[in-house]
Amino acid sequence: MCGIAGIIGKNASKDVLLKMTNAQKHRGPDYTGFWLDENVCFGHNRLSIIDLSENANQPFQDEEERYQLIFNGEIYNYLELKIELEQHYNFKTNSDTEVLIAAFSHWGKDCLSKLNGMFSFAVWDSVDKKLFAARDRFGVKPFYYHQTEDTLYFSSEIKTLHSAGIAKELNKKVWANYFSFGSYGMPHETFWKHIDQLPGGHCLEFEKNTLKIERWYFFEKEIEKYKEKLSYEEIKNKYIVLLKDSIKLRFRADVSVGFNVSGGLDSSALLAFVNQQENKQNIKAFTFYTNNDRYDELPWVEEMVSLTENSLQKVLLKPEEVKKIAAKIDYHQDEPYGGIPTLAYAKIFEKAREKNTLVLLDGQGMDEQWAGYDYYLQKNEATIQGVKKSPFKKEVLSKEMIALSQKPIYPKPFKDELLNKQYRDLFYTKIPRALRFNDRISMAYSTELREPFLDYRLVELAFAQPLEYKIKDGIQKYVLRDIVSEYLSDSITFAPKRPLQTPQREWLANELHKLVDKKIEKIGKSNYKSWFDIEELKKEWQNYVEGDNQSSFHIWQWLSLSTYIDNTDLCK
């Protein structure tokens, strides 16, 4: 995992590129490389994971010296692809980077469908004078860009583009939708004006100042290959085979690999199958806790790990740490994120780096493919689990912001409403924002996070299964529970999903009360006070303190804005 940056056009400048790579150096502290040509600048920050030699440094040139590649991520099936390509390409390294450039050289953009991995990469064609870039199927790795009349800038992080001189101006409409509906923007949007992102499963070409973006991964078509209904046991066994292979592929690394674990079903599955790897006793497990029995999953985690030989690394988050950690994570996220649970999760990566475990696996993606969220059983359009009334406080907004807000409309490509909800969460809501949160916090500590449950083969197979395989007698993720029951106890296998993992609601009203007061006061004195009815906002905060705190999402939204208003050109 690394950072990429580039400038294509009349404003291509090594001085600007240096600022860009410095802004995202945390993504790749092991080596920073550059490649310059007329009107083209490529920069790369390397975190060495596969083939640690300098021969695998980037930017990377193909053997015919036609293409230059910068690449962020991992191609997990690179060894299999290498065998397929050996008759066409003379390999000189053991890296997945060289396999990627060989694949592109041989198959062109058709290589994308052959890749099993997380990736965001850019290739400059020195013959056709054209840029090609692509992002993996679900958007695990980021790609941001800004286009002027004669230049395209792109990078792995938003701050990188800001370092190139792009104006720091908040995207008012995206913020309005965030406050009104909890939306983090559509797949191409960001919280900043002038900066867009390439959606997952899309690619772009830039030639003669013309930008062309197209979709390359058509999920709806891919799941059609599972039209034939197989028996429950056949699906279960097929899924187990793929799950084992997915985890095996994600252990390919030349550095230590560990995994994150909570007390939930998904982590149970990860734990069970991680422990089928060789040298399983050397694989470290990481978890966080807050010393609050109402929320901590530590008892379940300790029960799970007691059945294995994994060393458990426990990380404690205390309320007095929140302000300091939040300042760091605010900087790295560049956009609003998921609150105190994200801060607790960040401490895991800090501990992993201390323990020299540079790659971690986690359990993201099971709820979306096997229908695990409680609102999948409800006839509504909810996107947040565990709440009975709307967590959004639209009434604290100004009339202008309310008028600007527009409820997102998501595609519904399927006749079945459950499938449409799962599709929404995979490509528009849950997964895109979780992947962004996770990429930034792992990279903040120069570590790599891998998502074995988001192997496209698993997602496609599970998604395509009939309802009775996903939900049986009111039990959600039924196939997964059945699989895990063969390895772990029933108390873990059939434990209900817990929507909250930290005492964020309580901390904000008590230990962090003064911090929230200051943040709200800052909004009231800023150039962004016109976004709100400030008196109504203060009233809502008082209601929260006095016990109307089923959800703390709206409070965290205000804290998010308060964080970023100091970092805009409007406030300077």
Side-chain angles (χ1 to χ4, degrees):
M1 195 183 294
C2 307
I4 62 173
I7 311 171
I8 313 295
K10 290 183 178 180
N11 293 328
S13 159
K14 186 175 182 181
D15 289 340
V16 175
L17 188 66
L18 278 168
K19 292 178 182 178
M20 294 173 71
T21 52
N22 283 337
Q24 59 183 32
K25 195 170 184 178
H26 51 277
R27 297 188 68 91
D30 297 328
Y31 178 79
T32 300
F34 304 96
W35 177 79
L36 310 173
D37 201 358
E38 185 179 1
N39 295 332
V40 184
C41 293
F42 270 13
H44 188 265
N45 307 96
R46 186 182 183 198
L47 177 64
S48 302
I49 300 295
I50 293 176
D51 187 347
L52 309 185
S53 74
E54 63 181 22
N55 295 329
N57 287 342
Q58 300 179 45
F60 198 98
Q61 188 177 59
D62 74 312
E63 62 179 350
E64 295 183 357
E65 301 184 357
R66 175 175 179 172
Y67 300 113
Q68 287 286 342
L69 167 71
I70 44 177
F71 160 48
N72 169 29
E74 306 292 349
I75 308 301
Y76 301 123
N77 63 334
Y78 76 103
L79 294 178
E80 291 76 11
L81 290 175
K82 188 173 185 177
I83 292 172
E84 193 173 347
L85 288 162
E86 279 178 332
Q87 59 182 318
H88 306 289
Y89 192 95
N90 181 28
F91 289 95
K92 296 180 175 63
T93 75
N94 295 314
S95 69
D96 59 334
T97 301
E98 189 172 22
V99 172
L100 176 56
I101 202 169
F104 184 82
S105 176
H106 183 61
W107 290 305
K109 66 182 179 182
D110 290 341
C111 74
L112 296 172
S113 62
K114 295 177 175 288
L115 306 178
N116 186 343
M118 55 177 186
F119 54 84
S120 175
F121 69 86
V123 176
W124 177 253
D125 184 336
S126 61
V127 174
D128 292 341
K129 305 298 180 184
K130 180 170 66 175
L131 176 77
F132 177 85
R135 199 171 174 202
D136 63 72
R137 293 169 178 83
F138 300 109
V140 181
K141 304 318 302 167
F143 189 101
Y144 296 100
Y145 67 92
H146 168 78
Q147 186 181 10
T148 67
E149 289 184 2
D150 52 21
T151 305
L152 178 73
Y153 301 80
F154 66 88
S155 66
S156 294
E157 296 193 6
I158 289 171
K159 69 177 66 62
T160 310
L161 294 177
H162 284 154
S163 74
I166 294 159
K168 297 179 180 179
E169 185 179 347
L170 297 182
N171 189 329
K172 196 172 182 179
K173 185 173 180 61
V174 172
W175 281 92
N177 288 341
Y178 173 59
F179 291 130
S180 299
F181 308 108
S183 166
Y184 286 75
M186 298 301 274
H188 68 282
E189 293 179 316
T190 75
F191 282 78
W192 298 89
K193 286 187 72 174
H194 318 298
I195 294 178
D196 294 305
Q197 59 177 320
L198 182 66
H202 284 65
C203 59
L204 67 77
E205 292 181 350
F206 185 69
E207 183 180 14
K208 296 178 181 178
N209 292 330
T210 300
L211 181 65
K212 177 185 175 184
I213 295 175
E214 63 181 24
R215 186 179 178 191
W216 69 265
Y217 179 52
F218 296 89
F219 179 79
E220 305 92 313
K221 292 182 179 179
E222 292 298 328
I223 64 171
E224 289 180 2
K225 57 179 173 271
Y226 299 105
K227 275 185 175 179
E228 180 186 358
K229 184 177 179 180
L230 300 179
S231 71
Y232 178 86
E233 286 300 318
E234 286 176 312
I235 289 298
K236 176 182 169 183
N237 292 331
K238 189 171 184 177
Y239 192 82
I240 289 173
V241 170
L242 289 177
L243 185 55
K244 288 180 178 179
D245 187 61
S246 175
I247 292 174
K248 181 180 178 181
L249 288 178
R250 283 155 183 80
F251 265 87
R252 287 179 171 174
D254 294 323
V255 296
S256 295
V257 180
F259 65 101
N260 301 330
V261 61
S262 65
L265 174 65
D266 305 347
S267 284
S268 306
L270 184 60
L271 175 74
F273 286 95
V274 160
N275 276 278
Q276 295 185 29
Q277 304 297 310
E278 296 179 6
N279 302 317
K280 60 184 180 181
Q281 66 275 11
N282 296 323
I283 304 173
K284 292 183 175 69
F286 295 81
T287 195
F288 70 77
Y289 66 107
T290 62
N291 267 341
N292 187 307
D293 293 340
R294 290 182 61 197
Y295 299 98
D296 284 346
E297 298 182 327
L298 192 57
W300 287 274
V301 171
E302 290 177 330
E303 178 187 348
M304 289 159 53
V305 176
S306 70
L307 304 174
T308 70
E309 300 178 48
N310 305 108
S311 167
L312 180 61
Q313 309 294 314
K314 295 176 282 189
V315 178
L316 172 64
L317 177 68
K318 296 178 284 188
E320 55 266 31
E321 297 177 292
V322 167
K323 182 178 180 180
K324 181 179 179 181
I325 299 173
K328 179 180 177 70
I329 301 306
D330 291 344
Y331 169 77
H332 285 282
Q333 287 285 341
D334 289 322
E335 299 179 283
Y337 56 93
I340 289 175
T342 304
L343 305 182
Y345 199 39
K347 288 199 71 174
I348 285 179
F349 294 95
E350 181 180 35
K351 173 64 75 173
R353 186 75 196 189
E354 289 175 5
K355 295 292 182 180
N356 202 34
T357 303
L358 301 187
V359 175
L360 291 177
L361 277 58
D362 87 350
Q364 194 73 50
M366 282 297 192
D367 287 306
E368 293 78 10
Q369 61 186 271
W370 284 116
Y373 294 119
D374 61 3
Y375 56 74
Y376 286 148
L377 301 174
Q378 303 163 4
K379 292 185 178 180
N380 57 38
E381 296 183 4
T383 58
I384 295 180
Q385 174 155 299
V387 295
K388 296 180 180 178
K389 64 179 183 177
S390 174
F392 316 125
K393 305 297 180 181
K394 201 171 182 177
E395 60 271 19
V396 308
L397 298 176
S398 66
K399 292 180 180 179
E400 180 192 7
M401 286 293 276
I402 291 174
L404 187 62
S405 66
Q406 186 175 14
K407 190 171 184 178
I409 298 175
Y410 305 112
K412 294 186 176 183
F414 304 101
K415 295 179 181 179
D416 185 276
E417 195 55 35
L418 173 63
L419 293 181
N420 286 327
K421 288 182 178 181
Q422 290 179 265
Y423 181 83
R424 174 200 65 194
D425 286 356
L426 274 169
F427 294 100
Y428 291 88
T429 57
K430 290 284 189 180
I431 290 299
R433 67 175 179 248
L435 292 177
R436 193 255 292 170
F437 300 166
N438 293 350
D439 174 82
R440 301 309 181 278
I441 57 176
S442 61
M443 288 278 79
Y445 297 98
S446 303
T447 54
E448 176 171 291
L449 179 64
R450 298 179 175 182
E451 311 280 6
F453 298 159
L454 283 177
D455 187 307
Y456 70 95
R457 300 169 300 170
L458 290 174
V459 179
E460 291 171 2
L461 176 63
F463 187 97
Q465 297 315 304
L467 177 62
E468 62 265 28
Y469 291 2
K470 298 174 183 177
I471 304 172
K472 184 176 181 180
D473 299 327
I475 299 174
Q476 294 177 267
K477 294 192 287 191
Y478 190 82
V479 169
L480 185 62
R481 294 183 192 277
D482 194 11
I483 291 170
V484 172
S485 68
E486 299 177 13
Y487 301 91
L488 300 171
S489 67
D490 285 352
S491 65
I492 295 171
T493 301
F494 293 98
K497 185 170 182 63
R498 293 174 288 279
L500 302 173
Q501 294 177 299
T502 69
Q504 173 171 302
R505 294 183 302 184
E506 294 80 359
W507 284 4
L508 290 176
N510 297 292
E511 291 94 333
L512 302 175
H513 187 139
K514 290 183 179 179
L515 176 64
V516 179
D517 278 341
K518 290 180 180 178
K519 295 283 190 177
I520 290 176
E521 184 179 350
K522 182 195 287 188
I523 292 174
K525 293 180 179 179
S526 76
N527 290 315
Y528 295 89
K529 64 184 177 183
S530 63
W531 288 14
F532 299 93
D533 179 332
I534 294 296
E535 291 306 312
E536 191 66 32
L537 187 150
K538 290 179 178 178
K539 178 182 174 183
E540 194 61 58
W541 167 230
Q542 190 58 39
N543 289 343
Y544 181 89
V545 172
E546 293 174 358
D548 184 8
N549 64 353
Q550 184 194 62
S551 171
S552 59
F553 183 70
H554 59 295
I555 308 297
W556 191 264
Q557 287 180 314
W558 306 338
L559 298 183
S560 296
L561 176 64
S562 179
T563 292
Y564 293 113
I565 59 179
D566 283 342
N567 192 35
T568 66
D569 291 339
L570 186 58
C571 293
K572 294 178 182 177

